[in-house]
């Protein structure tokens, strides 16, 4: 086994926040399921990662009950489930040790949020010497407020602010900064085609 799929933070915590109404792809679990199916059929390792903020009292606090895979996802027996407390999936987990044990040298990454935990994981993985494929349409993110926007603004105010960076633009910029530097950009349909499966 030389490849792994890392599924990052596709968890109920995000759906428990009002901002989920503005996410780019609320059906991200469907694309992730397609990727997971491809990885399993190829014999690749599938690693699930959840973000956790113990003691925070928010939706990422395990005590909230939301720090779990989205209900549409199904983890197979034996597939590792890691809990991280940093943006990337390496720093606060034993992910690198796990990948080394399985002889993994190539990673595909997907999940939530495109420019935050997924991108940061891709960058760290690249720096650690892994070949990285960033499956862009199996990621999603939210609009980003301007640095001078008031804290705690409503979703409506965020979307009405002309300085807000739209989620689609966040994804587009992420592709630009990763491609040719830290990762190869791919789509679910493209990977399915390459594997000889109809889209």
């Amino acid at each position: 086994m030389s490849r792994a799929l890392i599924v990052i933070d596709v968890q109920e915590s995000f759906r428990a926040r009002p901002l989920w109404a503005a996410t780019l792809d609320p059906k991200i679990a469907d694309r992730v399921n397609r990727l997971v199916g491809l990885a399993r059929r190829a014999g690749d390792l599938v690693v699930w990662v959840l973000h956790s903020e113990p003691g925070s009292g928010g939706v990422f606090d395990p005590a909230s009950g939301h720090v779990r895979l989205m209900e549409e996802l199904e983890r197979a027996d034996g597939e590792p489930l890691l809990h991280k407390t940093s943006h990337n999936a390496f720093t606060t987990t034993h992910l690198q040790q796990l990948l080394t044990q399985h002889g993994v040298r190539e990673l595909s990454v997907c999940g939530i949020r495109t420019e935050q935990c997924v991108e940061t994981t891709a960058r760290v993985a690249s720096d650690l010497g892994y070949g990285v494929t960033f499956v862009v349409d199996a990621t999603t993110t939210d609009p980003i407020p301007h640095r001078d926007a008031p804290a705690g603004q409503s979703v409506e105010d965020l979307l009405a602010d002309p300085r807000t960076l739209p989620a689609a633009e966040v994804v587009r910029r992420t592709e630009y900064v990763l491609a040719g530097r830290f990762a190869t950009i791919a789509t679910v349909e493209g990977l399915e085609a390459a594997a000889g499966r109809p889209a």
Side-chain angles (χ1 to χ4, degrees):
M1 179 182 303
S2 64
R3 297 184 305 184
L5 171 65
I6 314 298
V7 182
I8 302 165
D9 301 352
V10 187
Q11 63 193 73
E12 292 294 345
S13 306
F14 287 99
R15 288 206 280 218
R17 301 188 314 167
L19 190 56
W20 185 252
T23 199
L24 184 63
D25 182 8
K27 295 187 177 286
I28 182 177
D30 295 342
R31 291 183 194 270
V32 170
N33 276 329
R34 287 164 62 187
L35 267 186
V36 169
L38 277 178
R40 288 173 180 160
R41 286 187 290 274
D44 297 343
L45 178 67
V46 178
V47 181
W48 304 86
V49 181
L50 296 173
H51 187 74
S52 179
E53 297 174 0
S56 66
V59 296
F60 293 97
D61 188 331
S64 72
H66 299 301
V67 182
R68 55 190 167 85
L69 295 174
M70 287 188 174
E71 62 182 16
E72 301 92 328
L73 301 175
E74 188 172 329
R75 179 174 149 240
D77 289 342
E79 291 177 346
L81 175 66
L82 309 180
H83 288 78
K84 66 179 178 61
T85 56
S86 62
H87 290 306
N88 78 80
F90 287 94
T91 303
T92 57
T93 71
H94 67 286
L95 176 58
Q96 187 174 9
Q97 178 183 4
L98 183 66
L99 298 176
T100 300
Q101 288 171 345
H102 285 85
V104 171
R105 296 307 312 148
E106 297 179 21
L107 305 179
S108 293
V109 295
C110 65
I112 307 173
R113 298 170 40 175
T114 308
E115 82 294 350
Q116 191 166 311
C117 296
V118 187
E119 178 183 351
T120 307
T121 298
R123 287 173 179 257
V124 172
S126 176
D127 280 352
L128 290 172
Y130 294 96
V132 181
T133 299
F134 191 90
V135 190
V136 68
D137 62 343
T139 72
T140 193
T141 195
D142 313 314
I144 297 179
H146 187 270
R147 64 181 178 274
D148 295 330
Q153 69 183 157
S154 68
V155 175
E156 293 76 17
D157 289 342
L158 172 71
L159 296 177
D161 187 338
R163 302 171 302 171
T164 296
L165 190 64
E169 182 64 13
V170 175
V171 173
R172 189 181 76 85
R173 292 181 185 204
T174 301
E175 288 186 44
Y176 269 83
V177 299
L178 290 179
R181 296 172 177 165
F182 299 98
T184 298
I185 307 299
T187 63
V188 176
E189 185 174 332
L191 293 174
E192 287 173 333
R197 298 188 63 82

